[in-house]
Every structure is written in structure tokens, then in C-alpha cells.
Amino acid sequence: MKMSRMGVKPEKMPPKDAETVNHKLLVQAGFVRQLMAGVYTYLPFGLRVLRNIEKIIREEMDAIGGEEILMPMLHPAEIWKKTGGWESIDVLFKLKSRTDRDYALGQSQEEVVTPTMKEFIKSYRDLPKMPYHIQWKFRDELRSKSGIMRGREFLMKDMYSFHLDQTDFDRFYAIAKAAYLKVFSRMGLDAKVTEASGGSFSEKISYEFEVLTDAGEVNILYCGSCEFCANVDDLSQYKEGDKCPKCGESKLKPSVAAEVGNVFDLGHKYSRAFDLKVATSTGESIYPVMGCYGIGVSRTMGVIVEKFHDDKGIIWPKNVAPFTVHLIDIKQGDRAQQIYQLLQDNGIEVLWDDRDINAGIKFSDADLIGCPWRVVVSEKNVSANEIEVKTRQNNEPEMMKVESFISKLKSD
Ligand code: ATP
Ligand code: MG
């Protein structure tokens, strides 16, 4: 992508009203724009990052048997009345049509997926089933000051599972938990899994996936020696300084964290509400056990920025970066064009700053935008056909042949 063609350029200063790092940097670097508190436009750079995050999630959900669908955002009130959510869920956005009918904007999709799957799940032979989708959600959140980490409109991956019995559910629950850890580690995030706790849905077991960051809203206690982690907002049997109940090695440390995902055992709540029953092998008619599995796609993008930045800008982990290479030419248009082409022909995603502006601005914008590699094409070493290469974190550039750089990226 050429920067001159985008119509989106990095700003000199972050927005004045921004309270969090992700909000400041994402707006300043040209990834997003805020329409109102908790509602954002994703500009070309931002959309690329969102798509990269989605891709990782999609691959890992498909790998454990998930089947991608796309459910609507506009829901009839009746399905929410059926489960009691119409009255009990305070964040549910409600609206009326011209003909005085009531509707809700999807804040989650159990009420849609359960009656839909009822058509396809009739007997034990149809189980298990794991439909998922990646769709915008709407929630009437009171506080939306954490940039894209708490949206009133936000992108979520939500998977739902249907199982014949608790044993099969437990088997899949463990698989989903492992897949979640893989998703976050592919994005460069170290997610801690909170000890099982009952969720708001029922007394069933849930796990939260927490990333340590001051920009988060969850108070946790964790062990420095093993993976033990507990949400202290609803699990108050632990306190700071306690010996780790799991390994006994270290004392529990407090931290603030952001919840990037969670998984819930829904039990029979929704299958019962929508009377989704299956025939067992012995001919009995029973309610399947359901689970739900959420990941905050847009929140995760914000968390990544909170974790990976310095005073110059964002430092994207390579798997989610908007581009692998940020190409800067210093009055070397033709040669830069050739290198831009060559890198792209080799499947490398390149952002070319071809703007006719001061080189200093190009350098500071490259740091702000935060692509993993910076390549400078200047008069230096034209005869040796070399380029200047540097990673975003490293301050020492090195000269290299274009071909060697391409092989290095391919083997990375
Ligand atoms: P929170 O406690 O942060 O409000 P939640 O428990 O309400 O989260 P879920 O309903 O389980 O969240 O949604 C699944 C995932 O969607 C969460 O783990 C989180 O990553 C993300 N999420 C929830 N609410 C928001 C929001 N307002 N903005 C952005 N992401 C969100
Ligand atoms: Mg919430």
C-alpha cells in the first residue's frame, strides 16, 4: 500500500480527550477514529490489524471443529423475552420500529444460535456441533473510556457448542481452552487463565483469559512460579501475599488485567428455554449441554497496543502487524518502486511511504505506526544494491542485499 494514496495520515499529536495509550496511539497513527465514546471507525491500517486477529482466531476455531456462520445483529424482542434477557440484561440496546415492534441489538447470540441449531440437531448423531461467528456486538456500557478496549459497538468472536452430555462437554471444554491459549500466544500475548468460577449465566464453570495491563479493569492475583491466576473481583477467598494454592512456591501477586476472552458452561439453560431436545441412542429425549466461548477481537487489538509500545509509538507483533515492512525512500523513487514490487512479488506486505515530505517525518511516522521492519532506500550503497534494514525495536540499522532480506523474512 502506498501512503500517498490512502487519505489517512499520522498526526503530530494524540487526541486531547484520549485517556488510554491504545486510544492515543491508534488515533494518532491513523488506525481508528472515534465517532463517539465506545464507537470507532477502523481505517485501512486498523482494519488490517483487525483482520489479522480474526484470521488467527478463525484458524484455531476451525482447527477444533468450529463451523463459521454469520448471525444477524438485529434481533426480534421475542427471543430475548423468552430467556428473560429483555428485562434482566442492563446493557441490552432496545429499539422500536415504525410499526411499534420491539427489537434488540445483539449483545451476545445464544438467543439466535439455539433456535437456529434446533433445526439441525435432532439426535445424538448430530452432536457435537460448534458454530461460531465473528460479528459486531452492541452493549449500553456506562463507561467507555478505555479506547477500543470497551466499546458500545465492538467485534467479538463467539462460538457456541452443543453436546450430548457433560462428559463430552468437558472433553471439548479442555480443547477450547488450549485453543484459546494458542490464539493469544500467536498474537504475542501471554494470557492467564483464571481459576474456574461460576458465571452470571448459572453456577456452571467459567474461565477468563486475562492479559496483565494497567489499562484493564479486572483485579487478579497470580503466581509468578506457576500458571495460577484468580479474578479477585468475584473470587475473594484469596488475598495478596497468600502462598500459591496450586504450587506452594510463590506468594500471590496482585495485578490489573484485561479480559480478552472467556468460556462458559451454559448447561441446559438455553436448550431448555428454546426446547432444543435430542434423541439419545436409547431413544430418550434430552436437552443437550451447551457452552459459549467469546473473544473480544477489537478489545484484543487495544490490549496489544497497551502491551507493545514505547514513547515513539506502537510495536506490532509480527502476526498481527498491518504490514511486515515499512519502506521509506529518500528521493529514490524508481529504486524504491522496484524494491516495493520485489517485496510484494515475494508475498511480503509492504507499506511504502512515497509521500513527498521531509525524511524526518517519515522516520517518526514509521516508529508511530509500528511495523516490525523498516527498510530505507537512499543514495547509500546503490551500486552494491543494498538497502538499510532495521527492526522496530532495534535502533541499529544494517545494510543488506534485498535478496538476503527477503530470505530472512521468509525464514522468520
Ligand atoms: P467485561 O467483564 O469486560 O464486560 P464480559 O464478561 O461482559 O466482559 P462477555 O460477555 O463474556 O464479556 O464477552 C466475551 C468477550 O468480549 C470478553 O471476554 C471481552 O474480551 C469482550 N468484550 C466484552 N465486552 C466488551 C466491550 N464492551 N468492548 C469490547 N470488548 C468487549
Ligand atoms: Mg460486560
Side-chain angles (χ1 to χ4, degrees):
M1 182 182 280
K2 291 183 188 178
M3 262 177 103
S4 64
R5 299 184 52 177
M6 293 207 7
V8 173
K9 63 175 174 44
E11 305 287 336
K12 281 207 178 65
M13 298 298 289
K16 285 196 189 65
D17 57 340
E19 291 182 17
T20 45
V21 171
N22 77 87
H23 187 179
K24 285 183 188 153
L25 288 177
L26 288 169
V27 173
Q28 193 187 349
F31 285 72
V32 304
R33 282 294 180 272
Q34 190 186 50
L35 179 64
M36 58 180 174
V39 181
Y40 290 82
T41 294
Y42 288 77
L43 299 170
F45 294 172
L47 187 58
R48 289 177 77 97
V49 175
L50 217 49
R51 294 284 181 258
N52 290 340
I53 295 174
E54 281 181 28
K55 181 171 180 279
I56 292 173
I57 296 174
R58 199 169 263 125
E59 285 172 6
E60 297 303 335
M61 294 305 106
D62 290 348
I64 59 169
E67 283 184 272
E68 189 170 5
I69 59 175
L70 185 60
M71 291 179 273
M73 307 183 208
L74 185 63
H75 303 172
E78 289 70 32
I79 56 175
W80 288 94
K81 289 183 176 159
K82 203 164 203 148
T83 56
W86 185 260
E87 272 76 37
S88 67
I89 299 177
D90 51 4
V91 294
L92 189 67
F93 269 115
K94 300 170 181 172
L95 48 140
K96 256 196 200 309
S97 71
R98 288 187 285 175
T99 53
D100 212 30
R101 282 175 189 246
D102 289 319
Y103 296 87
L105 294 178
Q107 63 89 37
S108 184
Q109 299 271 354
E110 286 81 358
E111 278 78 356
V112 178
V113 79
T114 316
T116 304
M117 294 309 288
K118 193 173 165 176
E119 285 194 46
F120 303 98
I121 299 173
K122 301 286 181 201
S123 99
Y124 70 98
R125 289 192 194 87
D126 302 322
L127 297 174
K129 285 271 184 297
M130 286 83 75
Y132 76 94
H133 76 165
I134 299 177
Q135 174 67 293
W136 295 90
K137 300 285 181 290
F138 298 85
R139 289 189 188 179
D140 191 358
E141 302 278 6
L142 291 180
R143 280 189 72 257
S144 283
K145 299 197 173 208
S146 324
I148 61 168
M149 288 172 59
R150 183 165 295 283
R152 293 199 163 100
E153 176 178 331
F154 61 96
L155 193 59
M156 191 204 282
K157 183 285 300 179
D158 36 327
M159 181 161 77
Y160 303 88
S161 72
F162 299 80
H163 305 267
L164 185 65
D165 53 28
Q166 196 65 35
T167 311
D168 193 60
F169 172 82
D170 291 345
R171 172 195 64 80
F172 182 72
Y173 212 35
I175 292 172
K177 197 170 144 188
Y180 265 45
L181 289 174
K182 207 162 159 201
V183 163
F184 297 119
S185 91
R186 284 181 64 184
M187 296 174 193
L189 292 173
D190 175 21
K192 298 195 177 296
V193 190
T194 57
E195 285 299 297
S197 72
S200 58
F201 286 99
S202 62
E203 283 314 300
K204 294 287 187 177
I205 288 187
S206 72
Y207 298 102
E208 292 159 13
F209 295 76
E210 305 282 355
V211 173
L212 307 193
T213 164
D214 288 343
E217 297 175 20
V218 183
N219 292 299
I220 60 161
L221 283 171
Y222 71 101
C223 172
S225 303
C226 74
E227 71 278 15
F228 180 85
C229 172
N231 177 332
V232 283
D233 296 327
D234 46 50
L235 260 177
S236 52
Q237 72 254 45
Y238 307 108
K239 58 181 192 311
E240 182 180 350
D242 280 358
K243 260 222 157 98
C244 172
K246 196 160 199 161
C247 71
E249 291 282 321
S250 302
K251 289 185 172 162
L252 297 181
K253 288 188 278 195
S255 180
V256 177
E259 182 190 308
V260 285
N262 64 26
V263 297
F264 280 103
D265 177 346
L266 298 173
H268 296 135
K269 174 169 176 178
Y270 292 92
S271 43
R272 195 184 294 275
F274 290 95
D275 200 34
L276 191 176
K277 280 184 165 170
V278 293
T280 65
S281 57
T282 55
E284 253 182 291
S285 181
I286 61 159
Y287 292 117
V289 176
M290 284 176 60
C292 73
Y293 313 77
I295 294 182
V297 180
S298 45
R299 176 181 289 180
T300 300
M301 175 171 160
V303 170
I304 291 171
V305 177
E306 296 287 338
K307 296 294 285 183
F308 305 106
H309 69 271
D310 60 17
D311 54 1
K312 295 183 193 140
I314 308 170
I315 307 173
W316 292 107
K318 69 174 185 193
N319 289 345
V320 299
F323 304 88
T324 308
V325 171
H326 188 124
L327 176 67
I328 293 177
D329 67 302
I330 304 179
K331 299 200 177 69
Q332 297 291 314
D334 287 350
R335 189 153 174 261
Q337 170 71 48
Q338 280 168 14
I339 290 166
Y340 177 61
Q341 199 55 51
L342 188 63
L343 292 173
Q344 293 197 119
D345 290 347
N346 278 278
I348 296 160
E349 295 179 322
V350 190
L351 175 65
W352 177 15
D353 192 347
D354 60 333
R355 295 173 298 171
D356 188 14
I357 51 164
N358 173 295
I361 299 177
K362 291 192 181 186
F363 288 126
S364 57
D365 281 353
D367 282 341
L368 181 61
I369 294 166
C371 300
W373 294 90
R374 190 188 78 186
V375 168
V376 180
V377 183
S378 67
E379 279 161 357
K380 277 191 258 171
N381 286 299
V382 172
S383 53
N385 196 25
E386 286 186 332
I387 51 174
E388 183 195 293
V389 171
K390 165 182 123 46
T391 62
R392 172 62 179 80
Q393 300 99 308
N394 191 343
N395 286 323
E396 288 306 313
E398 60 176 305
M399 301 304 293
M400 210 186 265
K401 291 249 188 271
V402 186
E403 293 70 25
S404 329
F405 178 57
I406 291 172
S407 330
K408 193 183 178 84
L409 288 188
K410 284 191 169 169
S411 61
D412 228 15

